[in-house]
Amino acid sequence: MDEQELVIERDGPVALLAFNRPQKRNAINDKTLAALRRFFADIPEDVRVIVLSGNGGHFSSGLDLSEQVAREPHAVMRHSRNWHAIVNLLRHSGIPVVAALSGAVMGGGLELASACHVRVAQPGVMYRMPEGQRGIFVGGGGTVHLAGIIGADKMTEMMLTGRTYSAEDGERLGLSHYLAEADGALALARQLAQQIASNSPTVNYLIVQSIARIANMSSEDGLYTESLAAALSQTGADAEEGLRAFLEKRPPNFNR
C-alpha cells in the first residue's frame, strides 16, 4: 500500500485511513484514488469499522486540479466513472465508514465525505463546492450523494456561488451528524467507530447495504426489501445474543 498518499493504521477492529498530502490540503490525486480503491476492494476480514480523516489540519480541499488541466473528454469521463466506482465500494462494502472532518472539506473532498455513513466535524470546517468558479462540473458523485443530503436546490446554490458554509452551518444542513469540540473530530470519530464496532456485524452490514438502496426504491419494493433484511437479521446467532443480552440486562457480545 502506498502510504505517501494514504496512511493506513489499525486500532483493534477499526481501520484508520488518513489522506496524507498536507502540503496540498489533501487534494485528491490519482494515486490517492488508487490507494482508496485498493483498500476498499480488499478490506481485511477483521475490520469492523473504518475512520476516514485527513492529516495536517484538513480533510480534503478536493480534486487535485493540476492533473486535470489537459484531459480529453473521454479521459474525464473515465476518471469520473472510476471515482463513482470507488465511492460505490465505500458506500456498499458492508463496513460502516466514519468521516472525521477538519479544515477544508471542499469539492471532491465534500463529495467523498457525503458518501460516508457517519460524519463528525469540528469548529473551523469550511464546506464549499467551488467547481462553478473553476469552469468544471462535479464528477465524484455529488449530484447523487451530496444532493441527497442537502437537496438539489442547496447544491445548485453552493456550486453557482462558491459560498462557504461553516461547521455550524454544516451540522444544521446535515453535512455532519456531530459537531465535536475544537480539534476533536478525529477523537470523537474514533469513539463512535469503536461503539459501532461493538454492534452486530450482520446488522451493521444490512444497515450499510440496505437503507440507501431502499431510499431509491418504490415504497412497496422498499417495504419488501426491509422485510427481507429483518428476516436475515432476526434468525441468526447475533439476534439470539442481542435479545438474550437485553433480557438478561447485560451488554451483548457479538465477538464470539
Side-chain angles (χ1 to χ4, degrees):
M1 186 69 65
D2 185 355
E3 292 191 347
Q4 181 181 357
E5 314 294 332
L6 186 71
V7 174
I8 300 173
E9 299 176 346
R10 287 293 298 273
D11 181 13
V14 177
L16 305 167
L17 277 60
F19 298 126
N20 193 40
R21 305 185 74 213
Q23 73 282 5
K24 286 205 166 189
R25 296 197 299 175
N26 294 320
I28 298 168
N29 61 0
D30 287 349
K31 286 184 178 180
T32 306
L33 288 174
L36 282 171
R37 184 161 196 158
R38 286 195 297 272
F39 179 84
F40 280 99
D42 190 21
I43 300 171
E45 290 186 3
D46 58 343
V47 168
R48 295 284 187 87
V49 184
I50 297 162
V51 173
L52 183 61
S53 65
N55 289 336
H58 298 281
F59 181 75
S60 174
S61 59
L63 192 64
D64 188 340
L65 297 179
S66 67
E67 294 185 343
Q68 310 301 314
V69 174
R71 286 187 171 174
E72 295 294 324
H74 73 277
V76 175
M77 183 79 174
R78 289 181 178 179
H79 185 268
S80 174
R81 294 301 289 156
N82 178 57
W83 193 303
H84 294 164
I86 294 166
V87 169
N88 191 57
L89 286 172
L90 183 156
R91 282 175 60 83
H92 297 300
S93 70
I95 305 297
V97 181
V98 182
L101 306 178
S102 59
V105 186
M106 301 176 178
L110 181 50
E111 289 182 283
L112 276 177
S114 67
C116 295
H117 306 106
V118 179
R119 297 176 297 279
V120 181
Q122 64 190 35
V125 162
M126 300 170 288
Y127 299 106
R128 187 184 302 161
M129 293 298 290
E131 284 81 357
Q133 289 72 54
R134 306 287 187 266
I136 59 176
F137 196 77
V138 295
T143 57
V144 173
H145 306 127
L146 177 58
I149 294 169
I150 64 174
D153 176 72
K154 182 59 69 178
M155 183 174 175
T156 299
E157 180 269 334
M158 288 186 74
M159 289 187 65
L160 287 174
T161 66
R163 177 179 178 179
T164 298
Y165 283 95
S166 68
E168 294 75 17
D169 293 330
E171 185 185 30
R172 174 175 54 83
L173 293 171
L175 295 173
S176 76
H177 301 104
Y178 297 86
L179 185 57
E181 297 179 353
D183 299 320
L186 182 56
L188 180 53
R190 293 180 67 163
Q191 176 185 330
L192 289 168
Q194 292 290 347
Q195 176 183 328
I196 294 167
S198 70
N199 294 347
S200 157
T202 302
V203 174
N204 278 352
Y205 182 89
L206 290 169
I207 290 169
V208 169
Q209 287 281 358
S210 303
I211 294 176
R213 288 188 168 98
I214 289 171
N216 290 322
M217 296 178 180
S218 69
S219 59
E220 285 303 312
D221 288 343
L223 291 171
Y224 180 76
T225 303
E226 177 185 278
S227 294
L228 288 175
L232 288 171
S233 72
Q234 293 177 27
T235 53
D238 281 359
E240 183 177 347
E241 167 62 14
L243 295 175
R244 284 186 182 278
F246 175 77
L247 294 173
E248 295 169 6
K249 303 185 186 307
R250 61 174 174 82
N253 177 15
F254 297 115
N255 296 311
R256 301 178 311 282

